[in-house]
Amino acid sequence: MLIELRARDGGEFEKSLALTSVLPLVGGIGDEGCWHKVPDLPRLRECRARLRDAGRAFRLVTPKVPELHAENALATIAELVRDDPAFELTANDLGLLHALGREGLLPERVALGRTLSRSAQDCPWIRNIVRDTTAFGSRALLQNSLLDQDELRFLRRFRVDSVETNTLAYDASSLSALRALGLRVRLHCGPVAVSFSRACATARFFRRAVPGCKELCAQPLSIAMGRIWERGSFAPAPEALQPHRRFLLLGNVLYQAARPALAPAVDEVIVSLWWNECDVQRLIRDIEETYGHGNSSGEGAGCLG
Amino acid sequence: MATLRVKAPVASVDGARLQIEAGATDLYVGLAPASGDHIAFSARGSVSLQGQRTNVSDEDLARITQLAHERGVAVELAANMPAVGDDPGGGRAIKEQFLAYVERGLAAGVDGIIVGDLGNLIMLRERGVTVPVTASTLLATVNRFQIEMLAELGVAKVVLPQHFHLREIEALVRASHVKVVVFGHFGCSFYEAACGLLHGITERVNLGLPCRAEWEVGEKRASITDVAEDCSICVLDELMRIGVHAVKIVGRELDPRLTSTVTAAYVAAIRQYEAGASPEAVMAATAKRVPWWGQTLCSTQRCKYFLHNRYYT
């Protein structure tokens, strides 16, 4: 069992270095939502060196990369690989992996992030949708999107050996199935990533042009769904939606606050340092307790979140 | 100036007639599930909450393709359900059901298939399906590298997600031999491929469009997550100059009288641009032709591809 401490910027990175665990710690640097929150190359090199000094592996986290940033993203990762390919890339963009593969510049290991590794369970009201399906149909809908041998066979050319996942509230059996296919599963402990956008709702709300908006992402906005919108007008939200109305908006990504969830057998747990409602050092102790000291993996006891 | 095709949504034979009369060059349509399940491979529930059927029968699809082909209009089967994987517990029954769904569409005479799952795309090629394949927005193609990857997998067209700068679209069109389709009218706030605010797939509770809801943000009330853009009439000339293949009108679940009105507006606008009209003239003509256009779109600034670029990451 490993714990990834994921940081976007200087403050979070320094905080991560001060945290300790009896389990091996990995330093994740970057962001799953916005390229502007991935540090530049000099800073990434510095983080990598400091993590090495701290005895921690370096992991670069990248979002979907729109065309505007595509060459820059490719060049940045390529330089890091030329420095030393012995690092991990968490990717949310298949095009970027294709380009790195074409150039022979993939890092040693690649994981697929939460825009590519998804489940209908990411939807807060999924129970309302699957209740009219068969048990088989329900399981098929709820399983991880990468449980597809045609797709996995293709993705292995990109050195994909790991996938991330949100915590799951109803059915974690597909995670075991992914592990049985030889993939390592990394569980995000904390807010569930629900939806990703290229257009930043936070920047737009505060009328701050990207990328001059980064300070708005220092902490997430708490928002609650009030009225629904249908065909041009607003109406009261239905009663069934009430338990699911609270979300966190961090830049261009919509999250739900951590829910009571299953603690399936996984290989790693990821903690994002932006989740500032959380006492991270205490959370690390909870993870140690749930998954056991020194175990490489195992069924978790109780729930996380 | 190259022309621009208009790809229109269809969910019934009457809807297809309306779209063909409106001047659509392409139709896209989903088939009802064979088994009577509510959730279809067309990425839509069989019936919307408002009672609108969103998928057609095999007989109706055959009729739709016949009507379309009589007028030189192409028809694509929506087979774009994402995350169509292996069976829980192993097995390929779901994949075989998907293949059977595609074969039903081919038997009805469709000209192409829209696919939203990478595994399905690969499977169709390996199983010898050679009809042109369009990569749905559900494959989230946001850069030239992914277009290149999809082209190597045999894709003929790519539908880009929402929220692109025009210069990005131009770069993508120039960088590839694959035809590029963009959203013309209506759209989502989030990447369709990465959005868990599921709706329009058989839920029994009315969620509306969740991304456009009104939220409590501290003391304020705001549609904070509504970053959707709905209209591209004013930039169709740019899309034509760039060489975009088609604009897609969203709305299989909507009233076909509404969506065919939208189609007709886009067809008329394209003809005006071909004749050299300015965006201002086209806007004025559109507002005159469709009185609600200005009120619901222009005055609320739901403009695609140029107005809100400063908020794109």
Side-chain angles (χ1 to χ4, degrees):
Chain A
M1 170 59 66
L2 299 174
I3 300 177
E4 175 190 325
L5 298 176
R6 183 168 293 185
R8 299 167 302 164
D9 60 20
E12 289 176 3
F13 181 64
E14 297 305 325
K15 186 177 168 186
S16 75
L17 287 178
L19 295 164
T20 61
S21 176
V22 296
L23 297 171
L25 293 174
V26 174
I29 311 294
D31 191 72
E32 62 184 349
C34 177
W35 179 251
H36 295 290
K37 288 189 279 191
V38 178
D40 61 20
L41 183 59
R43 179 65 177 147
L44 287 172
R45 282 175 164 147
E46 182 191 336
C47 289
R48 186 176 189 177
R50 291 187 64 192
L51 284 166
R52 186 186 305 121
D53 293 344
R56 298 183 188 179
F58 165 69
R59 182 178 290 167
L60 177 63
V61 180
T62 55
K64 284 212 176 306
V65 183
E67 176 64 17
L68 196 64
H69 309 300
E71 292 291 349
N72 182 21
L74 179 64
T76 298
I77 299 169
E79 285 302 307
L80 289 170
V81 171
R82 290 190 185 104
D83 288 347
D84 181 354
F87 71 96
E88 296 178 36
L89 173 67
T90 296
N92 283 284
D93 191 295
L94 292 182
L96 191 60
L97 292 179
H98 170 80
L100 289 166
R102 181 191 66 203
E103 301 297 318
L105 286 168
L106 284 164
E108 232 168 50
R109 294 177 59 200
V110 175
L112 298 182
R114 291 195 281 188
T115 73
L116 296 171
S117 172
R118 300 201 46 87
S119 162
Q121 295 181 67
D122 302 336
C123 171
W125 45 80
I126 188 60
R127 285 296 229 195
N128 190 275
I129 289 171
V130 300
R131 68 184 180 190
D132 287 330
T133 65
T134 61
F136 179 83
S138 174
R139 281 181 66 201
L141 267 178
L142 298 182
Q143 69 183 12
N144 184 279
S145 60
L146 295 171
L147 197 58
D148 181 328
Q149 298 215 42
D150 294 321
E151 190 162 343
L152 289 175
R153 199 172 62 242
F154 178 80
L155 293 172
R156 290 204 193 278
R157 70 178 60 185
F158 301 139
R159 297 185 179 167
V160 172
D161 69 358
S162 305
V163 301
E164 295 188 350
T165 178
N166 281 316
T167 49
L168 303 173
Y170 306 115
D171 184 348
S173 57
S174 59
L175 301 184
S176 302
L178 287 171
R179 295 179 84 221
L181 291 172
L183 288 166
R184 292 174 61 83
V185 173
R186 302 174 180 175
L187 179 75
H188 274 265
C189 182
V192 172
V194 177
S195 301
F196 294 78
S197 177
R198 200 260 169 102
C200 183
T202 304
R204 190 161 156 172
F205 179 72
F206 289 105
R207 297 176 198 258
R208 207 80 80 78
V210 173
C213 54
K214 279 196 218 173
E215 72 205 48
L216 297 175
C217 282
Q219 54 187 8
L221 275 175
S222 284
I223 62 176
M225 193 183 282
R227 298 189 291 169
I228 61 168
W229 186 93
E230 189 188 21
R231 307 209 177 172
S233 59
F234 291 104
E239 196 60 39
L241 208 56
Q242 293 307 316
H244 312 296
R245 55 192 292 267
R246 301 200 172 280
F247 290 76
L248 299 172
L249 181 65
L250 183 70
N252 59 330
V253 185
L254 186 68
Y255 296 89
Q256 260 211 328
R259 316 164 181 158
L262 306 169
V266 295
D267 300 282
E268 291 188 31
V269 175
I270 300 170
V271 180
S272 293
L273 276 288
W274 62 257
W275 185 30
N276 54 9
E277 293 172 9
C278 159
D279 176 341
V280 182
Q281 189 63 76
R282 211 194 89 194
L283 179 59
I284 290 172
R285 301 289 172 247
D286 286 346
I287 294 167
E288 291 166 353
E289 177 107 9
T290 301
Y291 283 100
H293 292 239
N295 289 347
S296 60
S297 66
E299 195 70 37
C303 292
L304 285 175
Chain B
M1 180 181 273
T3 190
L4 193 54
R5 297 178 73 89
V6 179
K7 188 164 157 171
V10 162
S12 66
V13 175
D14 286 342
R17 282 198 184 97
L18 286 171
Q19 294 291 4
I20 292 167
E21 286 308 313
T25 56
D26 301 71
L27 309 179
Y28 65 100
V29 55
L31 266 174
S35 60
D37 281 343
H38 296 283
I39 299 177
F41 290 118
S42 65
R44 286 284 189 281
S46 292
V47 181
S48 74
L49 205 62
Q50 291 74 27
Q52 182 92 16
R53 296 208 72 81
T54 53
N55 296 308
V56 304
S57 66
D58 296 61
E59 294 74 24
D60 282 354
L61 181 57
R63 182 76 183 121
I64 288 166
T65 57
Q66 181 192 10
L67 288 170
H69 291 166
E70 282 169 5
R71 299 281 290 272
V73 175
V75 179
E76 283 185 299
L77 176 71
N80 53 335
M81 183 73 164
V84 177
D86 298 339
D87 299 346
R92 305 268 299 174
I94 299 172
K95 290 283 193 179
E96 293 300 326
Q97 285 171 20
F98 175 80
L99 188 59
Y101 173 86
V102 168
E103 287 170 347
R104 286 165 58 207
L106 296 176
V110 300
D111 304 286
I113 310 286
I114 308 168
V115 176
D117 177 89
L118 185 63
N120 283 347
L121 175 62
I122 293 164
M123 181 189 70
L124 288 178
R125 283 292 173 249
E126 289 177 352
R127 298 292 279 267
V129 174
T130 55
V131 65
V133 170
T134 294
S136 162
T137 182
L138 286 155
L139 284 166
T141 302
V142 299
N143 54 55
R144 67 182 69 190
F145 304 141
Q146 183 152 322
I147 292 184
E148 185 181 291
M149 182 190 83
L150 292 170
E152 290 178 9
L153 288 170
V155 159
K157 292 182 218 171
V158 171
V159 181
L160 301 182
Q162 323 283 340
H163 308 123
F164 274 87
H165 299 272
L166 285 169
R167 65 182 184 277
E168 288 180 308
I169 298 173
E170 183 165 15
L172 292 176
V173 169
R174 293 231 169 121
S176 74
H177 302 295
V178 168
K179 293 173 181 163
V180 172
V181 178
V182 303
F183 281 93
H185 206 81
F186 297 136
C188 294
S189 295
F190 297 98
Y191 287 117
E192 291 88 345
C195 183
L197 299 179
L198 299 180
H199 64 95
I201 53 168
T202 83
E203 65 276 9
R204 281 204 238 141
V205 64
N206 188 7
L207 303 164
L209 292 183
C211 68
R212 303 194 189 203
E214 184 183 75
W215 299 79
E216 297 157 17
V217 186
E219 300 291 320
K220 296 181 183 174
R221 302 282 182 273
S223 298
I224 189 170
T225 58
D226 182 5
V227 293
E229 299 164 357
D230 288 330
C231 175
S232 64
I233 283 270
C234 296
V235 294
L236 289 179
D237 59 334
E238 279 298 301
L239 297 177
M240 292 161 74
R241 181 190 64 75
I242 284 168
V244 167
H245 174 71
V247 288
K248 177 179 172 177
I249 312 297
V250 174
R252 280 179 280 159
E253 70 286 2
L254 298 177
D255 189 325
R257 290 169 296 181
L258 166 63
T259 53
S260 60
T261 299
V262 171
T263 298
Y266 276 78
V267 169
I270 289 166
R271 285 181 187 147
Q272 279 186 271
Y273 282 121
E274 284 172 342
S278 69
E280 292 75 19
V282 170
M283 251 184 83
T286 304
K288 193 171 173 192
R289 184 180 300 115
V290 186
W292 52 256
W293 201 282
Q295 197 176 17
T296 61
L297 294 164
C298 304
S299 64
T300 56
Q301 299 193 327
R302 311 288 309 184
C303 318
K304 285 184 183 290
Y305 305 126
F306 74 95
L307 195 59
H308 305 291
N309 295 22
R310 60 191 179 281
Y311 304 123
Y312 292 178
T313 58

